[in-house]
Amino acid sequence: MDHLNDIKPKLSRTSTHKVRSGCITCKKRHVKCDETRPSCNNCLRSRGTCEGYQVAPRKNPSSPAQVRWHSKQLTVARSASPPMQLQLDPDSLDFHDVKGMLYFQEFIKIMEAPWITAVGGGDFYASLSQLAFSDGTIRSAAIAVGALGLWHRDSPHKSLRTITVPTAPKVERDAHYFYAVAYYCRSLKLQSERASARDAMFLSILGSIFETLRGGKKAALSHINHGLAMMLELLTGQDAELRVGGLAPSPTSLLEMVANTFIPVTMQARTILTGRITEGPPLPSLVKGLRSKKKTMEYFMILLSQLTQPKATLDCIPDEFNNLKEFEEYWIAAQRDHVVMASITTEVLRDAGAFAATDNDIVSKFTSALLQDGRFTELSQNSIKVMQKLNTAFLPLFNRIIMSDPESPAYLKAVHLRLEYMGVYIFIDITQYLQYENLQARTPLFREYLSLAQVALRIAKSQIKNPAHQLSMHCGLVRSLLIMALFCRDPLARDEAAGMLRDYPGQDGFWNTLSFYILALKNREVEKKNASEGSPDDQLRRLWRREFVFEDSGDRIMFRYLDKDEVDGEWKLVEEVAELQGDSEDVHWVRQPVTGSGGLLMNDLYFN
């Protein structure tokens, strides 16, 4: 029976605590999970991806569907949705984990994308990236933007026009979106705990970028509205000097960078209402602050422009610029003066009562008010001289760069700088738009601008594949194209500008390029009927009565123009609205009673 000695006793299994909280991927593979959050390191090392952790059902399941920010109070609103297959605990998210680093690297790519760096703001975004390394609040918001960048990169949509956010993670790329929201919630939480004025200003811009990238138009406008209101209070409130000094060791440079971004986004946001025109003005918090101080929007724009400290003076423009950086230094100084001139022009027209006019002959009132004001005449003449000197000094450098490699960053930057210059030079003298002959004489300038715009858009289409890289808060190209589609007296050039709006590959801040294109199409109908009667100057005077504003955060267009009454043959002011339906160009214009006083729309919006 020796074989009995070979029989080994059956070993009992040691009782151990069975862990059931591992990640989804490890459970599927039946392997031990190290339970690192938000992603298991075992999975990342072996497979490169982790599906995250299951969340136990709650009585009131929620997901961060909308992020709300206020300059004095920060909250996160949650709405009901199905349980997610990812456990997103903002407190566990860290810059040094794999995903955090991956998203931050994508944020850097967005900040260095050609559309952003070519059109201004490069110094601001570079400083923002540097600040994110040392500031947890800004870093979390930056990582959130980067996570959205990867979500856009992996999504089927090719444009920011068509964004559909997931309500629950159904495919792997959706995880990027929910990580983005979690990181952003963390940044808001940190800001609420620390209450930093500096971080709040940067968050207003980052928040606008974040919400724009995920289609949150109303939230994006709310961010910038509170950021601007806070800037006004910071600069003009009690103990302003003390509070400005507490922003940073060198507050002047910080305020300058923020102001250079606030100026273009303020111009954008002034044309967009979060609701309807009867519900209040654009940028309500800023407007309320200005009215409490008995100040105007023009005052605020000049205040922002004065924060810019140009390195060059326009009194000593060289005969020829050596590089783009040198031209930019002079161009910043010129832009500062243009903001002042635009604000003074508005003040002149308002003080002369031109905006309050209720009849249809707006042109004569504008002409009389401007030409009789000595300030406007002097500023206009000086500005034109400066622009001509800049053009003479810049053209040799521009031509050299255009003859070089079209794939180089300098090539696209030179094109955009030339577009910025021409956009100001063409539109700087409003009096040239009041008479048909003068406006017709500007057709060659319009055509040159359109040719350059075609080059910029062609480069953008070839170089920019990720929709997130199409966003720029500084670019005003789409606005200039719309003005040309409305005012150029060459119908072929107007159609060319409209075509560029239709195919526009970028996203210029808060502006919906589709709504601009639909406006241009509607204007073709208006132009056709308007051309049926009167001299060219008569026709132009009627066209000057066109006004528009965007309601419902940009999804609804209100358009006013003079239409010929079929009964009595009189040209009368009419108002029509159109609702945008996703990315469709098919909209239905509905005529409604004229809202407000019946005078100029801008008077009802901005001056009452």
Side-chain angles (χ1 to χ4, degrees):
M1 305 293 286
D2 292 341
H3 63 280
L4 293 178
N5 296 328
D6 296 331
I7 298 176
K8 296 182 179 179
K10 185 176 180 180
L11 300 176
S12 62
R13 187 172 183 177
T14 303
S15 176
T16 59
H17 176 67
K18 190 170 184 179
V19 178
R20 300 183 180 275
S21 56
C23 73
I24 297 170
T25 309
C26 287
K27 286 183 178 180
K28 289 179 180 179
R29 298 171 61 208
H30 302 289
V31 298
K32 185 177 180 180
C33 177
D34 66 8
E35 298 186 62
T36 303
R37 298 174 185 270
S39 301
C40 163
N41 286 331
N42 289 345
C43 293
L44 293 177
R45 282 194 298 267
S46 61
R47 301 169 64 88
T49 183
C50 175
E51 296 177 66
Y53 296 80
Q54 287 182 332
V55 178
R58 299 179 182 177
K59 294 182 179 180
N60 296 308
S62 63
S63 66
Q66 182 183 1
V67 179
R68 293 202 300 262
W69 177 87
H70 191 278
S71 55
K72 295 183 178 179
Q73 182 179 5
L74 299 169
T75 62
V76 179
R78 300 176 181 267
S79 59
S81 73
M84 298 186 300
Q85 295 301 308
L86 292 170
Q87 182 169 348
L88 301 176
D89 178 10
D91 290 328
S92 70
L93 302 177
D94 187 78
F95 175 68
H96 298 293
D97 66 18
V98 175
K99 282 196 176 295
M101 182 60 71
L102 181 67
Y103 293 148
F104 189 77
Q105 289 172 347
E106 177 60 25
F107 170 75
I108 298 295
K109 291 179 182 178
I110 293 174
M111 296 300 103
E112 295 178 349
W115 202 251
I116 285 183
T117 56
V119 294
D123 291 343
F124 170 79
Y125 294 116
S127 299
L128 192 60
S129 300
Q130 293 174 2
L131 180 62
F133 277 102
S134 58
D135 187 297
T137 303
I138 303 303
R139 182 166 62 245
S140 294
I143 293 174
V145 170
L148 283 183
L150 290 187
W151 174 64
H152 278 290
R153 184 200 65 184
D154 297 341
S155 296
H157 58 259
K158 301 302 179 185
S159 168
L160 294 177
R161 283 185 181 179
T162 54
I163 301 175
T164 302
V165 299
T167 56
K170 298 178 181 178
V171 293
E172 187 172 348
R173 64 172 175 266
D174 291 343
H176 297 314
Y177 174 80
F178 289 102
Y179 276 115
V181 177
Y183 275 112
Y184 194 66
C185 289
R186 175 173 170 76
S187 73
L188 296 182
K189 178 183 178 182
L190 291 173
Q191 171 58 18
S192 67
E193 293 172 349
R194 300 171 185 175
S196 164
R198 182 197 67 176
D199 288 355
M201 281 195 297
F202 281 107
L203 273 183
S204 70
I205 298 171
L206 274 173
S208 298
I209 294 173
F210 175 85
E211 292 293 352
T212 301
L213 287 177
R214 72 169 187 155
K217 301 172 185 176
K218 185 174 183 178
L221 290 167
S222 178
H223 279 301
I224 211 66
N225 173 43
H226 292 301
L228 293 171
M230 184 174 57
M231 175 67 94
L232 173 67
E233 187 62 28
L234 182 69
L235 296 176
T236 63
Q238 294 182 350
D239 301 323
E241 185 175 347
L242 181 64
R243 285 191 288 177
V244 167
L247 286 175
S250 178
T252 302
S253 59
L254 183 145
L255 288 174
E256 180 178 354
M257 288 188 298
V258 174
N260 285 339
T261 300
F262 275 163
I263 289 173
V265 298
T266 303
M267 296 172 63
Q268 298 165 18
R270 288 191 74 185
T271 64
I272 308 172
L273 295 156
T274 55
R276 302 293 170 86
I277 188 173
T278 55
E279 297 172 5
L283 300 172
S285 298
L286 174 61
V287 170
K288 182 179 179 180
L290 287 169
R291 287 175 178 173
S292 69
K293 299 176 184 297
K294 297 182 179 181
K295 300 295 183 180
T296 64
M297 186 68 75
E298 288 65 48
Y299 160 85
F300 181 66
M301 294 300 289
I302 292 176
L303 184 66
L304 289 180
S305 70
Q306 297 305 312
L307 294 174
T308 303
Q309 302 295 326
K311 298 178 182 178
T313 60
L314 298 176
D315 295 332
C316 54
I317 298 173
D319 294 334
E320 183 176 329
F321 293 116
N322 296 311
N323 51 64
L324 292 177
K325 184 67 175 176
E326 184 182 15
F327 171 73
E328 279 189 287
E329 292 174 354
Y330 285 88
W331 182 236
I332 290 172
Q335 285 179 308
R336 172 178 170 170
D337 287 357
H338 298 152
V339 171
V340 174
M341 181 176 175
S343 298
I344 289 178
T345 301
T346 304
E347 285 184 356
V348 170
L349 294 173
R350 184 194 63 229
D351 294 344
F355 290 138
T358 56
D359 59 25
N360 294 330
D361 191 10
I362 300 298
V363 171
S364 61
K365 290 180 172 57
F366 276 25
T367 304
S368 175
L370 293 174
L371 296 182
Q372 291 180 13
D373 189 274
R375 283 187 307 163
F376 172 81
T377 303
E378 182 180 358
L379 280 171
S380 179
Q381 291 175 350
N382 289 340
S383 184
I384 291 173
K385 291 178 181 178
V386 167
M387 293 296 285
Q388 290 172 343
K389 289 181 179 179
L390 288 173
N391 184 56
T392 301
F394 181 55
L395 269 181
L397 171 63
F398 175 76
N399 290 333
R400 286 198 304 272
I401 295 174
I402 293 302
M403 295 292 290
S404 65
D405 180 12
E407 300 294 325
S408 68
Y411 188 96
L412 180 59
K413 192 171 188 66
V415 170
H416 272 289
L417 285 172
R418 182 66 178 168
L419 282 169
E420 283 190 10
Y421 166 84
M422 293 197 66
V424 173
Y425 183 71
I426 293 173
F427 307 125
I428 193 172
D429 188 357
I430 191 175
T431 60
Q432 298 300 308
Y433 285 72
L434 301 176
Q435 294 182 344
Y436 176 83
E437 185 178 355
N438 293 337
L439 187 54
Q440 178 71 14
R442 303 183 88 74
T443 299
L445 291 174
F446 289 141
R447 288 200 165 277
E448 182 182 350
Y449 187 95
L450 292 174
S451 297
L452 279 172
Q454 285 282 23
V455 173
L457 298 185
R458 185 176 66 248
I459 295 174
K461 290 177 181 178
S462 65
Q463 292 186 357
I464 303 175
K465 304 303 180 184
N466 184 341
H469 295 189
Q470 299 169 358
L471 177 63
S472 172
M473 304 305 286
H474 291 76
C475 188
L477 179 54
V478 70
R479 172 181 173 272
S480 297
L481 290 175
L482 178 61
I483 293 176
M484 291 184 185
L486 295 177
F487 279 97
C488 182
R489 292 301 86 208
D490 182 343
L492 291 177
R494 289 201 302 269
D495 284 350
E496 186 177 355
M500 291 186 196
L501 291 172
R502 178 193 60 214
D503 302 328
Y504 198 77
Q507 172 76 27
D508 290 1
F510 305 123
W511 282 326
N512 185 335
T513 54
L514 177 61
S515 63
F516 279 44
Y517 172 59
I518 290 173
L519 262 177
L521 289 183
K522 179 64 178 178
N523 183 66
R524 290 180 69 182
E525 300 177 16
V526 175
E527 291 266 8
K528 183 178 179 180
K529 192 169 185 178
N530 183 64
S532 65
E533 181 180 304
S535 67
D537 279 320
D538 291 335
Q539 295 168 13
L540 181 60
R541 276 193 288 271
R542 288 195 294 267
L543 291 175
W544 259 96
R545 200 61 178 86
R546 295 169 299 180
E547 289 185 285
F548 62 87
V549 71
F550 303 109
E551 299 179 311
D552 294 346
S553 304
D555 289 335
R556 189 173 190 259
I557 311 169
M558 175 193 284
F559 187 39
R560 289 181 178 178
Y561 60 95
L562 292 180
D563 192 25
K564 188 173 183 179
D565 192 301
E566 299 299 336
V567 177
D568 59 20
E570 296 293 324
W571 291 88
K572 297 179 179 179
L573 184 68
V574 298
E575 181 175 295
E576 295 185 7
V577 295
E579 305 272 356
L580 299 186
Q581 303 295 330
D583 198 33
S584 174
E585 299 172 6
D586 298 325
V587 298
H588 178 58
W589 287 93
V590 178
R591 187 163 293 189
Q592 64 182 23
V594 175
T595 310
S597 65
L600 284 177
L601 180 60
M602 65 172 60
N603 188 63
D604 291 337
L605 280 175
Y606 307 133
F607 305 132
N608 282 341

